[in-house]
mmCIF file of all heavy atoms in Angstrom:
data_model
loop_
_atom_site.group_PDB
_atom_site.id
_atom_site.type_symbol
_atom_site.label_atom_id
_atom_site.label_comp_id
_atom_site.label_asym_id
_atom_site.label_seq_id
_atom_site.Cartn_x
_atom_site.Cartn_y
_atom_site.Cartn_z
ATOM 1 N N ALA A 232 14.379 2.584 -4.189
ATOM 2 C CA ALA A 232 15.674 2.745 -4.885
ATOM 3 C C ALA A 232 16.482 3.963 -4.402
ATOM 4 O O ALA A 232 17.461 4.334 -4.970
ATOM 5 C CB ALA A 232 15.427 2.860 -6.345
ATOM 6 N N GLY A 233 15.990 4.607 -3.352
ATOM 7 C CA GLY A 233 16.663 5.815 -2.811
ATOM 8 C C GLY A 233 17.814 5.495 -1.878
ATOM 9 O O GLY A 233 18.251 4.402 -1.791
ATOM 10 N N ASP A 234 18.256 6.501 -1.193
ATOM 11 C CA ASP A 234 19.400 6.500 -0.365
ATOM 12 C C ASP A 234 20.612 5.983 -1.105
ATOM 13 O O ASP A 234 20.943 6.504 -2.119
ATOM 14 C CB ASP A 234 19.184 5.637 0.904
ATOM 15 C CG ASP A 234 18.109 6.301 1.791
ATOM 16 O OD1 ASP A 234 17.977 7.468 1.888
ATOM 17 O OD2 ASP A 234 17.314 5.477 2.453
ATOM 18 N N ASP A 235 21.225 4.920 -0.664
ATOM 19 C CA ASP A 235 22.458 4.410 -1.339
ATOM 20 C C ASP A 235 22.182 3.232 -2.269
ATOM 21 O O ASP A 235 23.149 2.634 -2.816
ATOM 22 C CB ASP A 235 23.505 4.018 -0.252
ATOM 23 C CG ASP A 235 22.970 2.990 0.702
ATOM 24 O OD1 ASP A 235 21.861 2.456 0.476
ATOM 25 O OD2 ASP A 235 23.708 2.645 1.625
ATOM 26 N N GLY A 236 20.939 2.943 -2.477
ATOM 27 C CA GLY A 236 20.681 1.817 -3.417
ATOM 28 C C GLY A 236 20.883 0.429 -2.874
ATOM 29 O O GLY A 236 20.873 -0.542 -3.611
ATOM 30 N N ALA A 237 21.071 0.377 -1.524
ATOM 31 C CA ALA A 237 21.410 -0.998 -0.947
ATOM 32 C C ALA A 237 20.298 -2.019 -1.116
ATOM 33 O O ALA A 237 20.623 -3.184 -1.348
ATOM 34 C CB ALA A 237 21.721 -0.805 0.612
ATOM 35 N N LEU A 238 19.035 -1.639 -1.180
ATOM 36 C CA LEU A 238 17.940 -2.560 -1.289
ATOM 37 C C LEU A 238 17.967 -3.176 -2.724
ATOM 38 O O LEU A 238 17.800 -4.323 -2.889
ATOM 39 C CB LEU A 238 16.626 -2.032 -0.931
ATOM 40 C CG LEU A 238 15.483 -2.944 -0.868
ATOM 41 C CD1 LEU A 238 15.720 -4.151 0.126
ATOM 42 C CD2 LEU A 238 14.171 -2.188 -0.425
ATOM 43 N N VAL A 239 18.186 -2.286 -3.719
ATOM 44 C CA VAL A 239 18.270 -2.807 -5.077
ATOM 45 C C VAL A 239 19.450 -3.822 -5.194
ATOM 46 O O VAL A 239 19.264 -4.868 -5.819
ATOM 47 C CB VAL A 239 18.497 -1.624 -6.057
ATOM 48 C CG1 VAL A 239 18.815 -2.087 -7.490
ATOM 49 C CG2 VAL A 239 17.322 -0.626 -6.053
ATOM 50 N N ARG A 240 20.586 -3.477 -4.632
ATOM 51 C CA ARG A 240 21.745 -4.407 -4.720
ATOM 52 C C ARG A 240 21.378 -5.668 -4.047
ATOM 53 O O ARG A 240 21.862 -6.797 -4.446
ATOM 54 C CB ARG A 240 23.014 -3.722 -4.163
ATOM 55 C CG ARG A 240 23.529 -2.640 -5.014
ATOM 56 C CD ARG A 240 24.942 -2.150 -4.615
ATOM 57 N NE ARG A 240 25.035 -1.821 -3.200
ATOM 58 C CZ ARG A 240 24.628 -0.547 -2.701
ATOM 59 N NH1 ARG A 240 24.178 0.305 -3.535
ATOM 60 N NH2 ARG A 240 24.804 -0.264 -1.486
ATOM 61 N N TRP A 241 20.657 -5.675 -2.938
ATOM 62 C CA TRP A 241 20.299 -6.863 -2.207
ATOM 63 C C TRP A 241 19.451 -7.789 -3.108
ATOM 64 O O TRP A 241 19.732 -9.004 -3.253
ATOM 65 C CB TRP A 241 19.580 -6.658 -0.911
ATOM 66 C CG TRP A 241 19.181 -7.870 -0.158
ATOM 67 C CD1 TRP A 241 20.042 -8.475 0.704
ATOM 68 C CD2 TRP A 241 17.987 -8.636 -0.275
ATOM 69 N NE1 TRP A 241 19.335 -9.670 1.146
ATOM 70 C CE2 TRP A 241 18.141 -9.724 0.575
ATOM 71 C CE3 TRP A 241 16.788 -8.492 -0.954
ATOM 72 C CZ2 TRP A 241 17.139 -10.650 0.761
ATOM 73 C CZ3 TRP A 241 15.833 -9.451 -0.811
ATOM 74 C CH2 TRP A 241 15.948 -10.541 -0.013
ATOM 75 N N TYR A 242 18.480 -7.269 -3.806
ATOM 76 C CA TYR A 242 17.685 -7.994 -4.755
ATOM 77 C C TYR A 242 18.497 -8.542 -5.913
ATOM 78 O O TYR A 242 18.350 -9.683 -6.314
ATOM 79 C CB TYR A 242 16.478 -7.174 -5.312
ATOM 80 C CG TYR A 242 15.304 -7.247 -4.317
ATOM 81 C CD1 TYR A 242 15.038 -6.066 -3.615
ATOM 82 C CD2 TYR A 242 14.504 -8.274 -4.266
ATOM 83 C CE1 TYR A 242 13.943 -6.070 -2.705
ATOM 84 C CE2 TYR A 242 13.382 -8.309 -3.361
ATOM 85 C CZ TYR A 242 13.098 -7.187 -2.590
ATOM 86 O OH TYR A 242 12.052 -7.178 -1.750
ATOM 87 N N GLU A 243 19.533 -7.746 -6.334
ATOM 88 C CA GLU A 243 20.406 -8.231 -7.372
ATOM 89 C C GLU A 243 21.193 -9.495 -6.919
ATOM 90 O O GLU A 243 21.399 -10.471 -7.681
ATOM 91 C CB GLU A 243 21.322 -7.160 -7.869
ATOM 92 C CG GLU A 243 20.586 -6.114 -8.666
ATOM 93 C CD GLU A 243 21.377 -4.888 -9.116
ATOM 94 O OE1 GLU A 243 22.305 -4.549 -8.292
ATOM 95 O OE2 GLU A 243 21.067 -4.239 -10.081
ATOM 96 N N ARG A 244 21.636 -9.513 -5.664
ATOM 97 C CA ARG A 244 22.331 -10.609 -5.081
ATOM 98 C C ARG A 244 21.352 -11.797 -4.997
ATOM 99 O O ARG A 244 21.863 -13.004 -4.855
ATOM 100 C CB ARG A 244 22.889 -10.262 -3.687
ATOM 101 C CG ARG A 244 24.056 -9.351 -3.825
ATOM 102 C CD ARG A 244 24.904 -9.242 -2.487
ATOM 103 N NE ARG A 244 24.024 -8.842 -1.377
ATOM 104 C CZ ARG A 244 23.797 -7.509 -0.969
ATOM 105 N NH1 ARG A 244 24.305 -6.582 -1.731
ATOM 106 N NH2 ARG A 244 23.071 -7.312 0.080
ATOM 107 N N GLN A 245 20.057 -11.562 -5.012
ATOM 108 C CA GLN A 245 19.133 -12.722 -4.925
ATOM 109 C C GLN A 245 18.773 -13.229 -6.288
ATOM 110 O O GLN A 245 17.862 -14.109 -6.432
ATOM 111 C CB GLN A 245 17.838 -12.269 -4.206
ATOM 112 C CG GLN A 245 18.029 -11.718 -2.801
ATOM 113 C CD GLN A 245 18.856 -12.614 -1.968
ATOM 114 O OE1 GLN A 245 18.629 -13.793 -1.787
ATOM 115 N NE2 GLN A 245 19.923 -12.019 -1.307
ATOM 116 N N GLY A 246 19.408 -12.713 -7.312
ATOM 117 C CA GLY A 246 19.256 -13.249 -8.685
ATOM 118 C C GLY A 246 18.297 -12.407 -9.556
ATOM 119 O O GLY A 246 17.962 -12.817 -10.731
ATOM 120 N N PHE A 247 18.005 -11.207 -9.118
ATOM 121 C CA PHE A 247 17.129 -10.330 -9.862
ATOM 122 C C PHE A 247 17.954 -9.338 -10.658
ATOM 123 O O PHE A 247 19.107 -9.051 -10.328
ATOM 124 C CB PHE A 247 16.198 -9.542 -8.944
ATOM 125 C CG PHE A 247 15.022 -10.300 -8.390
ATOM 126 C CD1 PHE A 247 15.240 -11.145 -7.307
ATOM 127 C CD2 PHE A 247 13.823 -10.257 -8.946
ATOM 128 C CE1 PHE A 247 14.201 -11.886 -6.772
ATOM 129 C CE2 PHE A 247 12.762 -10.951 -8.397
ATOM 130 C CZ PHE A 247 12.911 -11.797 -7.342
ATOM 131 N N THR A 248 17.422 -8.778 -11.764
ATOM 132 C CA THR A 248 18.105 -7.771 -12.632
ATOM 133 C C THR A 248 17.229 -6.554 -12.613
ATOM 134 O O THR A 248 15.995 -6.608 -12.902
ATOM 135 C CB THR A 248 18.267 -8.291 -14.088
ATOM 136 O OG1 THR A 248 18.970 -9.577 -13.947
ATOM 137 C CG2 THR A 248 18.893 -7.306 -14.945
ATOM 138 N N ALA A 249 17.831 -5.381 -12.341
ATOM 139 C CA ALA A 249 17.082 -4.183 -12.367
ATOM 140 C C ALA A 249 16.702 -3.834 -13.796
ATOM 141 O O ALA A 249 17.526 -3.972 -14.701
ATOM 142 C CB ALA A 249 18.003 -3.059 -11.816
ATOM 143 N N THR A 250 15.463 -3.343 -13.945
ATOM 144 C CA THR A 250 14.937 -3.060 -15.271
ATOM 145 C C THR A 250 14.477 -1.631 -15.320
ATOM 146 O O THR A 250 15.186 -0.705 -15.698
ATOM 147 C CB THR A 250 13.867 -4.054 -15.778
ATOM 148 O OG1 THR A 250 12.758 -4.043 -14.833
ATOM 149 C CG2 THR A 250 14.429 -5.437 -15.966
ATOM 150 N N ASP A 251 13.230 -1.388 -14.856
ATOM 151 C CA ASP A 251 12.572 -0.094 -14.923
ATOM 152 C C ASP A 251 12.645 0.752 -13.688
ATOM 153 O O ASP A 251 11.945 0.379 -12.679
ATOM 154 C CB ASP A 251 11.100 -0.254 -15.291
ATOM 155 C CG ASP A 251 10.961 -1.104 -16.676
ATOM 156 O OD1 ASP A 251 11.508 -0.585 -17.651
ATOM 157 O OD2 ASP A 251 10.355 -2.186 -16.618
ATOM 158 N N PRO A 252 13.337 1.863 -13.645
ATOM 159 C CA PRO A 252 13.181 2.791 -12.491
ATOM 160 C C PRO A 252 11.808 3.514 -12.646
ATOM 161 O O PRO A 252 11.331 3.738 -13.760
ATOM 162 C CB PRO A 252 14.391 3.709 -12.631
ATOM 163 C CG PRO A 252 14.755 3.674 -14.123
ATOM 164 C CD PRO A 252 14.270 2.359 -14.679
ATOM 165 N N PHE A 253 11.299 3.955 -11.601
ATOM 166 C CA PHE A 253 10.058 4.708 -11.596
ATOM 167 C C PHE A 253 10.029 5.656 -10.387
ATOM 168 O O PHE A 253 10.764 5.460 -9.455
ATOM 169 C CB PHE A 253 8.789 3.820 -11.625
ATOM 170 C CG PHE A 253 8.698 2.949 -10.450
ATOM 171 C CD1 PHE A 253 7.887 3.385 -9.348
ATOM 172 C CD2 PHE A 253 9.294 1.679 -10.313
ATOM 173 C CE1 PHE A 253 7.784 2.508 -8.193
ATOM 174 C CE2 PHE A 253 9.156 0.908 -9.189
ATOM 175 C CZ PHE A 253 8.415 1.362 -8.122
ATOM 176 N N THR A 254 9.094 6.552 -10.362
ATOM 177 C CA THR A 254 8.857 7.484 -9.265
ATOM 178 C C THR A 254 7.417 7.567 -8.927
ATOM 179 O O THR A 254 6.629 7.738 -9.826
ATOM 180 C CB THR A 254 9.470 8.891 -9.613
ATOM 181 O OG1 THR A 254 10.835 8.852 -9.933
ATOM 182 C CG2 THR A 254 9.281 9.839 -8.438
#
Side-chain angles (χ1 to χ4, degrees):
D234 295 327
D235 58 3
L238 190 54
V239 172
R240 288 192 306 278
W241 182 84
Y242 277 104
E243 289 173 333
R244 288 192 304 273
Q245 305 309 309
F247 286 81
T248 301
T250 58
D251 302 300
F253 64 93
T254 302

